[in-house]
Amino acid sequence: KAGVTQTPRYLIKTRGQQVTLSCSPISGHRSVSWYQQTPGQGLQFLFEYFSETQRNKGNFPGRFSGRQFSNSRSEMNVSTLELGDSALYLCASSLAGTGNRANEKLFFGSGTQLSVL
Amino acid sequence: AQKITQTQPGMFVQEKEAVTLDCTYDTSDQSYGLFWYKQPSSGEMIFLIYQGSYDEQNATEGRYSLNFQKARKSANLVISASQLGDSAMYFCAMRELNTGFQKLVFGTGTRLLVSP
């Protein structure tokens, strides 16, 4: 079974540009969540999508957005990039739901390393 | 609010020895899950082990075991027979289970270095 796939692996952008990152979850997983990892702030939750709906959001500005498609694949978009947006962006997928132990685990992809110059 | 504390910024261990990475947590939730992930220098976050708060037995996955002490709110990771490939950052994380939301709260991590 293929794992969580994130593309691209590396991105270099300049301030003011926008960027779109992609995440394909493990087959059958319905929930996709996104995290930002920086040396200063560590790992922080961005948002979660389930059945094409955002159902939870972290404390990030509106420049950070995302969506989920009917096949559970997800994209996140960052507009008007700032230097501080340079980070490793990680996507995680899970079966989601409650009452079933198998639904409780989250699995991550390899991440997209974004550098903003 | 949930909080994870990892007090060991770095740990050293010799190959083939066992090592314990500390993790304490704070939550008001009655039902929660605890995770350990390994992050090598390549950046990917590798799932190691999971423990639900309802589990009475400590979780084990191969060379990894989770020493879960609910009253102390600790969830330490034990790696037996360390290997050179175990050198990486290790993160403890938790999520609440009642809502179904998949949000993880992470600790700051422990860098483990395994020497020959």
Side-chain angles (χ1 to χ4, degrees), chain A residues 26-57:
Chain A
I26 292 171
S27 178
H29 284 196
R30 299 162 65 194
S31 168
V32 173
S33 49
W34 290 87
Y35 295 79
Q36 181 196 63
Q37 185 178 22
T38 60
Q41 299 298 317
L43 283 145
Q44 293 184 286
F45 171 77
L46 279 157
F47 30 65
E48 180 202 353
Y49 286 85
F50 179 78
S51 292
E52 302 179 63
T53 302
Q54 185 185 90
R55 65 175 186 176
N56 201 359
K57 189 176 190 303

Side-chain angles (χ1 to χ4, degrees), chain A residues 9 31 35 37 43 45 48 55-56 88 94 96 98 101 104-110, chain B residues 35 37 39 42-45 47 50 54-55 91 95 97-98 100-104 106:
Chain A
R9 186 71 180 90
S31 168
Y35 295 79
Q37 185 178 22
L43 283 145
F45 171 77
E48 180 202 353
R55 65 175 186 176
N56 201 359
L88 178 65
S94 75
T98 58
R101 182 183 181 77
E104 296 167 4
K105 299 178 183 178
L106 284 83
F107 299 90
F108 284 83
S110 299
Chain B
F35 298 76
Y37 290 91
Q39 188 177 44
S42 58
E44 63 182 311
M45 194 72 80
F47 169 83
Y50 171 78
Y54 46 79
D55 286 328
F91 291 95
R95 60 164 285 218
L97 297 178
N98 287 331
F101 291 165
Q102 306 292 299
K103 174 183 175 181
L104 287 177
F106 284 87

Side-chain angles (χ1 to χ4, degrees), chain A residues 57-109:
Chain A
K57 189 176 190 303
N59 189 24
F60 279 83
R63 299 185 297 106
F64 291 81
S65 64
R67 59 178 176 169
Q68 187 180 34
F69 302 94
S70 58
N71 61 359
S72 293
R73 190 178 72 85
S74 177
E75 289 181 347
M76 70 163 277
N77 183 277
V78 188
S79 62
T80 319
L81 283 166
E82 300 177 0
L83 296 179
D85 297 333
S86 295
L88 178 65
Y89 290 88
L90 290 158
C91 162
S93 79
S94 75
L95 287 167
T98 58
N100 185 328
R101 182 183 181 77
N103 294 349
E104 296 167 4
K105 299 178 183 178
L106 284 83
F107 299 90
F108 284 83

